[in-house]
Amino acid sequence: MSLCTIIGVLDDGAASLSCEALQSLREAKHVIAGNRLLAVLAEDIAGARHYDLTARLTQVPDWIDAALADEEPVAVLASGDPLCHGIAGYLTGKLDPARVRILPNLSSIQLAFAELRLPWQSATIVSVHSKDAGEWTPGATPQHGLYELMRHCRSKDLLAVLTSPDNTPARIARMLQSEGLADQFDIAVAQRLRQNEQRVTGFIGIAEAAEAVYADPNVAILKRKAPAPAPVLFGLSDASFRQRKPEKGLITKREIRAVSLARMQLTRRSIVWDIGAGSGSVGLEAARLCPDGHVYAIEKNAGDIDNIEQNRINWRIGNYSVVHGKAPQFLDAWPDPDAVFIGGSGGELAELIDLCLQRLRPGGWLVMNFATLENLSTAIDTLKRLGADWDACQIQASRSSPILDMHRLQAENPVWIISAIPHHEQ
């Protein structure tokens, strides 16, 4: 029975292959690879039919199935270890496992750490081989090619980055600068490993790397100068948030915020909507609780947008995006949520409740805060009309306040917390 052999190759070509891998390659009647590896191994695959998979990845399983149907062996070439951000992970889910064999090689990450003489068992591996989304912009959504890397940079101490011709080490360095993290990392770049032009920098500053040009292909290693701090996840004080200051700050108070977040039933991967974000306190704490998810926020007041952005920067939160607008504007472009928080509705409360209940993912919760009887009444009437399952609680917290050399309790305004799910979820 003929097999599809997925072979890891380094940039020195046949010299990097074991006897088993080289024999499989030379016996193959069909060889599938990117144009660079096809060129590197041209002499060793002269007798086979070649397929350039560049920009045609989805066609590869069909090419393999057709060849195996004719009992003709296939070789697929990939850089380094095909199971480390490589094509093997994709193909093993598309082909008959009994007809697939994988012969890994050293990965470029292993080679880079070896050149730096640096242990790498604690490193977090990130690939930025995605579609070019341009330079990083603070507050970018998960669709950006550098999003996952930026998320890890906030909490990891050592990262190995598989770069691309677009997402270069210099662009990564500029991303760290834009997020205020440049002083926390050094970077090393390993270029054209196992080629005559191989060059590995030592660890250099982010500012220097942001202006440099590096030969492709390359691997970037990011090393934090000091261990990442462990942030508070939940229960930040009201005073720690920058906020508009009328008589009292426009912020969801800590006691109300804690219960509201608890009712949202968040997970590490939750997608959260924060409608009427105010100072951003609920959404920003939700982002801390959902490190593998994302918070999408909207706020109509321009001054509050500035405060939210400053709070996001101060708390070093990356999985959070805010837009200036009035809901339901922009909501149609957001992914369906696992939880929605409505802190302010701008007069569109009934419409928003209807929309949110329709968009919630299975098991998702809509949580709303109200300080006025009118909004409370509108919300309950709307939930009844829509047949939703809901409950309400009122919280009135009192905080200690000094008086002479003693303390008294000073009451905060009462707030109603309404939690709802579509009826069929009950």
Side-chain angles (χ1 to χ4, degrees):
M1 182 174 64
S2 295
L3 297 176
C4 170
T5 305
I6 305 175
I7 302 172
V9 184
L10 302 181
D11 285 336
D12 54 350
S16 70
L17 299 180
S18 66
C19 293
E20 180 184 12
L22 192 58
Q23 180 180 351
S24 295
L25 178 64
R26 290 173 175 168
E27 291 176 350
K29 300 299 183 182
H30 305 263
V31 176
I32 303 169
N35 51 25
R36 183 171 62 86
L37 289 181
L38 289 175
V40 168
L41 290 163
E43 293 183 5
D44 297 280
I45 58 176
R49 181 179 177 183
H50 302 171
Y51 304 75
D52 184 353
L53 59 75
T54 306
R56 293 190 289 178
L57 181 61
T58 58
Q59 299 179 46
V60 174
D62 291 336
W63 295 340
I64 296 172
D65 285 337
L68 295 181
D70 293 333
E71 291 299 330
E72 294 184 336
V74 182
V76 179
L77 308 182
S79 295
D81 185 345
L83 286 168
C84 180
H85 291 281
I87 194 173
Y90 170 75
L91 291 180
T92 52
K94 304 288 184 180
L95 303 172
D96 178 359
R99 305 197 72 174
V100 176
R101 177 175 56 168
I102 301 173
L103 301 178
N105 211 316
L106 293 171
S107 71
S108 57
I109 292 169
Q110 288 174 281
L111 293 172
F113 277 105
E115 292 292 334
L116 293 166
R117 291 168 289 283
L118 182 67
W120 68 283
Q121 64 269 12
S122 63
T124 297
I125 301 171
V126 183
S127 173
V128 293
H129 271 278
S130 55
K131 183 178 179 181
D132 181 23
E135 292 285 323
W136 175 259
T137 302
T141 66
Q143 285 66 48
H144 197 286
L146 296 177
Y147 178 86
E148 182 183 1
L149 174 59
M150 186 65 253
R151 181 170 62 83
H152 286 301
C153 284
R154 296 188 179 279
S155 59
K156 306 298 184 182
D157 296 331
L158 184 65
L159 297 108
V161 188
L162 297 165
T163 64
S164 72
D166 297 311
N167 292 323
T168 63
R171 178 178 282 182
I172 292 166
R174 291 191 292 271
M175 175 191 73
L176 294 172
Q177 288 177 320
S178 72
E179 290 284 356
L181 297 174
D183 293 338
Q184 298 183 29
F185 284 93
D186 286 325
I187 187 171
V189 182
Q191 309 164 66
R192 295 191 173 175
L193 291 164
R194 291 290 181 95
Q195 299 184 52
N196 292 333
E197 304 89 347
Q198 174 176 310
R199 177 172 172 262
V200 181
T201 71
F203 281 99
I204 61 175
I206 298 300
E208 180 181 347
E211 302 296 329
V213 177
Y214 298 100
D216 192 65
N218 59 68
V219 176
I221 309 298
L222 292 169
K223 184 174 69 170
R224 193 180 285 270
K225 296 178 181 179
V232 172
L233 297 178
F234 181 70
L236 298 172
S237 69
D238 299 344
S240 65
F241 291 94
R242 181 169 150 179
Q243 56 196 276
R244 270 196 296 149
K245 290 281 189 178
E247 179 183 352
K248 293 186 178 180
L250 295 177
I251 187 173
T252 301
K253 301 298 191 293
R254 177 160 51 183
E255 296 84 357
I256 310 301
R257 196 186 325 139
V259 176
S260 297
L261 287 165
R263 292 308 309 269
M264 290 163 70
Q265 298 290 281
L266 302 174
T267 73
R268 290 183 59 88
R269 298 183 179 87
S270 290
I271 300 298
V272 180
W273 291 3
D274 184 5
I275 298 174
S279 64
S281 63
V282 173
L284 290 168
E285 287 214 56
R288 283 272 181 86
L289 296 169
C290 310
D292 299 327
H294 195 86
V295 176
Y296 296 83
I298 185 168
E299 171 54 47
K300 66 178 182 178
N301 185 283
D304 282 329
I305 293 291
D306 292 339
N307 289 336
I308 290 169
E309 278 298 309
Q310 190 59 54
N311 288 329
R312 187 190 66 79
I313 292 169
N314 290 346
W315 292 108
R316 298 176 179 175
I317 293 172
N319 56 330
Y320 180 100
S321 304
V322 64
V323 291
H324 181 206
K326 181 179 177 181
Q329 184 184 13
F330 298 116
L331 270 58
D332 60 344
W334 292 355
D336 289 346
D338 298 292
V340 179
F341 177 76
I342 297 180
S345 62
E348 311 292 338
L349 183 57
E351 178 184 357
L352 286 174
I353 292 174
D354 191 357
L355 185 152
C356 292
L357 290 176
Q358 291 183 48
R359 294 284 303 277
L360 276 172
R361 292 177 177 177
W365 282 88
L366 167 62
V367 176
M368 300 172 280
N369 286 180
F370 302 113
T372 69
L373 292 169
E374 288 78 9
N375 280 340
L376 175 66
S377 177
T378 298
I380 293 175
D381 288 345
T382 302
L383 292 170
K384 288 180 176 179
R385 175 174 57 81
L386 296 173
D389 292 300
W390 60 275
D391 64 80
C393 72
Q394 184 202 68
I395 295 181
Q396 182 172 10
S398 296
R399 295 177 174 180
S400 61
S401 177
I403 178 171
L404 299 177
D405 60 342
M406 297 175 287
H407 289 80
R408 65 182 178 87
L409 287 178
Q410 180 171 316
E412 298 289 326
N413 288 330
V415 174
W416 285 272
I417 300 176
I418 308 295
S419 305
I421 56 174
H423 177 68
H424 64 272
E425 295 287 341
Q426 190 69 14

